[in-house]
Amino acid sequence: MPGSRTGRPPVQRAVRRPAAPRAARDNPLRRLHTRALRAWDRPLTAYYLILGGSLLIIVLGLVMVYSASQVTALQMSLPGSFFFRKQFLAACIGGVLLLVASRMPVKLHRALAYPILAGAVFMMALVQVPGIGMSVNGNQNWISLGGSFQIQPSEFGKLALVLWGADLMARKQEKRLLAQWKHMLVPLVPVSFLLLGLIMLGGDMGTAIILTAILFGLLWLAGAPTRLFAGVLSIAGVLGVILIKTSPNRMARLACIGATEPKTGVADCWQAVHGIYALASGGLFGSGLGASVEKWGQLPEAHTDFIFAVTGEELGLAGTLSVLALFAALGYAGIRVAGRTEDPFVRYAAGGVTTWITAQAVINIGAVLGLLPIAGVPLPLFSYGGSALLPTMFAIGLMIAFARDEPAARAALAMRQPRFGRKRGAGPQGPRRWNTMRRRASAARSSGER
């Protein structure tokens, strides 16, 4: 080999190899997706979704109730903030119920199932007593508490059916009785029909639909066979058709599905059509908070059943999609709680509450969009109405208690340290040192090992 000028052999340069393609894990989008999945799968995800999502819905609902109800209050010669103050008071009471329910143990929830059911049946029966019950918008489902305060016992019937049905199905599952049809149907279906009958005596078919959805949700979670499920669904469907056919008001509401003109044949679809007008005039970001035009006497029930239409007009598509996203997060969190627990009562109760809130939101929003008949049910946690808000917030507290009670969530909450004050587990010798994997590995090394 010839030498160089310095007499040294030439330096052999390393052959450059083609650069290897960047690993998939170095892709920023892939890393972001992995982190999102990891954060989504944390033990406290359901807890934060239920707590944060419900609070956001309630706060946004208070803002929209204040905006949508001012004109109605002024037309009734009342202060503009009249309905907002009542809703805010109900939200404060509901917050106390939510906090109490979230701190109650599961055994106490099960113990309250029968008293709540008995109280709901008693109040729903009082509604039909002359001089006690009162009619609102053609439905005899209200009890006056004096002054401007009223209560609708059928709203508490939803909570009663969820708690009592979950306790009943859990006890039957523990005794392995759900494999028999009679134990799956009795007494769940007869008691549900008792509640439905008391509600239908007042003519409130919207609430009856929600209770029917809760019943089907409990049967589905119990693993009802397809034939049994289809049989109960067929009976409910036949009864529903009969009730609709025998009521001109319900037939008119059915005829307003997809209506674009106030007069659709013999039906007056004023409310349904003006709900579509409100959504259509909102655009992408809306006309601005408080700037709705339809709430000035054009849209009936603007702060109750059709508050979603006012939201679309003032906050636009962005606002309505935000509300839908919050309800979707609540639904996902409820399904996650029901699917990860090993307690049958928690599974049935979480599934029942999720079915209740999701079905009611779908029915309300579907009616505003013109896809479903107007059933007269409020948007959960969002519309005006203390009778609907109080049991729903108690049910949210129930879900929070279930989310905190998961084994992984309990461990994660126990590991959290308070930011201020004395740390958990701190004794006279200082805070407890947790045996983490790193400390155990460090302790196993010798003193000279590095």
Side-chain angles (χ1 to χ4, degrees), residues 395-407:
I396 292 296
L398 189 75
M399 296 284 291
I400 293 174
F402 294 160
R404 290 169 56 94
D405 199 53
E406 292 183 12

Side-chain angles (χ1 to χ4, degrees), residues 322-340:
S322 300
V323 175
L324 290 176
L326 290 174
F327 278 108
L330 274 182
Y332 166 80
I335 294 174
R336 174 169 169 160
V337 171
R340 293 195 174 192

Side-chain angles (χ1 to χ4, degrees), residues 51 63 71 163 188 200 202 214 225-226 297 332 353 379 396:
L51 180 60
V63 174
V71 177
L163 287 177
L188 178 63
M200 290 307 301
I214 295 173
T226 305
Y332 166 80
V353 172
L379 190 59
I396 292 296

